[in-house]
């Protein structure tokens, strides 16, 4: 705790004259939303270990500040699309924990009626367009969402998330070209958690600054401390404002970190325990927000305890529902299927 508080103070050193980018209530909400994602993912990991979640399961533990900070500046009608590490994005958009967890366990009460699993959930109501299992595929789709907004002449923005590994995909650069050419309102967000699937960025990418990936097309970019929810919100306001003003796409590189392996089947032997522990102790986004609440607004542990109790209850109810909800009826095999008939 002490290390986290010191890290939080260091982040703000020399910025005392600047007002915090989040009010007390906004920061409390951000803390609550990040905590919900963390506890949800921990529970999902437990259910996976018990054999109640099948297939792939990619947890978002450690990266919570990115989606919560970005979501804090969105409005009704804005859209979010991401890759297979998607549970945190769903919860950040306001999708119910019980529906997400039930989908993970393949139950009828899930967002895709138990037929999609971890990687394939959608909510048009919340502006969430997936969850995509093909590496980098969602980048082109995210630009497509932005194209629809551009075509309709509204001021809506598409947030398109992908990892630093996916940023090497050829379709990403093709999408950058089209987005810049048409000045599409899309924020490209690289969630750089350092290791792609299991190879460090230093070994798979020449440049250390991924914001330069948009330079050939004149797309402005910014590196952001993705472990600090207030820093993310600051960057989000700039990027989203740029898009709403009709200036075209914007690229954000979120310097973040995942505490678990690439997926639940990954032992993550390509990094040391000491490295992970150091990130947890000195850069954890939730503990950083807790320290900021205490330092900036005098919010103590007692004031946060009801939030922790609320989150615990939500996650437990989601876990219970995900096991009690019935399995899909066999007739569901023939629904939601596109045919040429």
């Amino acid at each position: 705790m002490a290390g986290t508080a010191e890290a939080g103070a260091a982040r703000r050193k020399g910025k005392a004259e600047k007002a915090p980018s989040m009010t007390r209530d906004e920061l409390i909400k951000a803390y609550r939303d990040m905590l919900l994602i963390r506890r949800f993912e921990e529970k999902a990991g437990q259910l996976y270990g018990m054999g109640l979640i099948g297939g792939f399961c990619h947890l978002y533990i450690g990266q919570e500040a990115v989606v919560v900070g970005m979501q804090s500046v969105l409005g009704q009608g804005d859209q979010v699309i991401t890759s297979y590490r998607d549970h945190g994005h769903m919860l950040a958009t306001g999708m119910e924990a019980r529906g997400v967890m039930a989908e993970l366990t393949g139950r009828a009460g899930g967002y895709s009626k138990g037929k999609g699993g971890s990687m394939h959930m959608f909510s048009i109501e919340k502006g969430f367009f997936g969850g995509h299992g093909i590496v980098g595929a969602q980048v082109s789709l995210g630009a497509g969402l932005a194209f629809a907004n551009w075509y309709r002449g509204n001021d809506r923005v598409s947030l398109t998330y992908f990892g630093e590994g996916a940023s090497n995909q050829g379709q990403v650069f093709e999408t950058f070209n089209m987005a810049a050419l048409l000045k599409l309102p899309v924020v490209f967000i690289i969630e750089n958690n350092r290791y792609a699937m299991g190879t460090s960025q230093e070994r798979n990418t020449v440049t250390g600054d991924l914001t330069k990936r948009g330079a050939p097309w004149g797309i402005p970019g910014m590196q952001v401390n993705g472990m600090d929810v207030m820093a993310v919100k600051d960057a989000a306001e700039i990027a989203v404002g740029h898009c709403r003003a009709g200036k075209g796409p914007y690229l954000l590189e979120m310097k973040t970190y995942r505490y678990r392996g690439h997926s639940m089947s990954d032992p993550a032997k390509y990094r040391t325990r000491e490295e992970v522990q150091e990130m947890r102790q000195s850069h954890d986004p939730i503990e950083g927000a807790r320290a900021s609440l205490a330092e900036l607004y005098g919010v103590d542990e007692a004031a946060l305890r009801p939030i922790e109790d609320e989150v615990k209850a939500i996650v437990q109810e989601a876990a219970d529902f995900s096991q009690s909800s019935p399995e899909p009826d066999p007739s569901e095999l023939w629904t939601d299927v596109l045919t040429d008939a």
Side-chain angles (χ1 to χ4, degrees):
M1 293 292 289
T4 300
E6 291 170 1
R11 285 194 298 270
R12 292 180 294 276
K13 187 177 180 181
K15 298 182 180 179
E17 71 282 355
K18 180 183 177 183
S21 59
M22 285 185 170
T23 65
R24 178 184 182 277
D25 289 346
E26 288 173 339
L27 188 52
I28 286 177
K29 183 181 185 303
Y31 172 82
R32 183 260 184 200
D33 291 348
M34 289 191 293
L35 188 64
L36 175 60
I37 295 171
R38 176 73 57 89
R39 297 293 178 254
F40 179 95
E41 293 289 65
E42 290 170 346
K43 180 61 72 173
Q46 292 175 9
L47 296 182
Y48 186 93
M50 295 166 61
L52 297 174
I53 295 176
F56 291 101
C57 186
H58 305 81
L59 302 182
Y60 200 66
I61 298 174
Q63 300 182 210
E64 298 89 352
V66 177
V67 291
V68 171
M70 290 300 305
Q71 198 68 30
S72 69
V73 307
L74 294 191
Q76 186 67 32
D78 291 328
Q79 301 126 338
V80 173
I81 191 168
T82 188
S83 66
Y84 39 76
R85 196 180 308 280
D86 53 4
H87 313 152
H89 303 71
M90 299 174 199
L91 296 174
T93 63
M95 293 170 66
E96 292 187 3
R98 65 187 341 239
V100 178
M101 195 72 85
E103 188 60 40
L104 295 182
T105 57
R107 303 304 179 98
Y111 270 98
S112 295
K113 303 176 185 177
K115 300 185 292 184
S118 176
M119 298 186 190
H120 303 288
M121 286 181 247
F122 298 81
S123 175
I124 302 301
E125 177 189 4
K126 299 297 183 181
F128 183 76
F129 289 80
H132 295 270
I134 299 175
V135 175
Q138 75 280 7
V139 180
S140 300
L141 296 175
L145 293 170
F147 178 87
N149 294 328
W150 170 83
Y151 187 80
R152 292 166 179 157
N154 61 39
D155 68 345
R156 297 299 89 192
V157 174
S158 163
L159 298 190
T160 301
Y161 294 87
F162 54 108
E164 83 282 0
S167 72
N168 290 320
Q169 289 278 327
Q171 61 192 312
V172 172
F173 302 111
E174 294 172 1
T175 302
F176 283 178
N177 180 64
M178 178 180 176
L181 186 65
L182 297 178
K183 292 189 176 181
L184 300 182
V186 52
V187 181
F188 296 111
I189 304 161
I190 302 176
E191 296 193 81
N192 184 354
N193 57 28
R194 300 191 189 182
Y195 290 99
M197 187 171 181
T199 304
S200 67
Q201 181 187 347
E202 290 77 13
R203 294 178 57 204
N204 67 33
T205 305
V206 173
T207 177
D209 183 356
L210 299 183
T211 64
K212 294 179 180 178
R213 290 289 173 89
W217 299 276
I219 300 175
M222 182 191 312
Q223 281 189 328
V224 186
N225 178 4
M227 307 299 278
D228 184 334
V229 71
M230 287 195 285
V232 173
K233 184 193 176 187
D234 288 343
E237 288 179 336
I238 293 171
V240 172
H242 177 93
C243 291
R244 288 207 204 283
K247 297 179 180 179
Y250 204 99
L251 178 62
L252 295 175
E253 180 190 0
M254 297 290 174
K255 307 284 281 187
T256 186
Y257 196 83
R258 55 173 166 81
Y259 296 164
R260 302 289 184 91
H262 174 71
S263 69
M264 285 296 295
S265 60
D266 174 20
K269 293 183 178 180
Y270 40 80
R271 60 186 182 183
T272 65
R273 291 183 179 179
E274 290 75 18
E275 177 184 301
V276 178
Q277 188 62 24
E278 195 277 331
M279 290 298 296
R280 280 184 174 272
Q281 289 182 344
S282 301
H283 303 282
D284 185 80
I286 296 173
E287 293 302 330
R290 186 196 297 265
S292 294
L293 280 167
E295 179 183 339
L296 297 173
Y297 299 113
V299 179
D300 59 16
E301 296 288 328
L304 295 177
R305 198 164 297 123
I307 295 175
E308 295 163 1
D309 292 341
E310 176 207 7
V311 165
K312 181 179 179 180
I314 291 172
V315 171
Q316 186 58 54
E317 192 277 335
D320 294 341
F321 178 74
S322 72
Q323 297 170 70
S324 62
S325 179
E327 294 188 358
D329 187 273
S331 64
E332 282 291 340
L333 286 170
W334 308 105
T335 63
D336 304 316
V337 178
L338 295 178
T339 68
D340 58 2

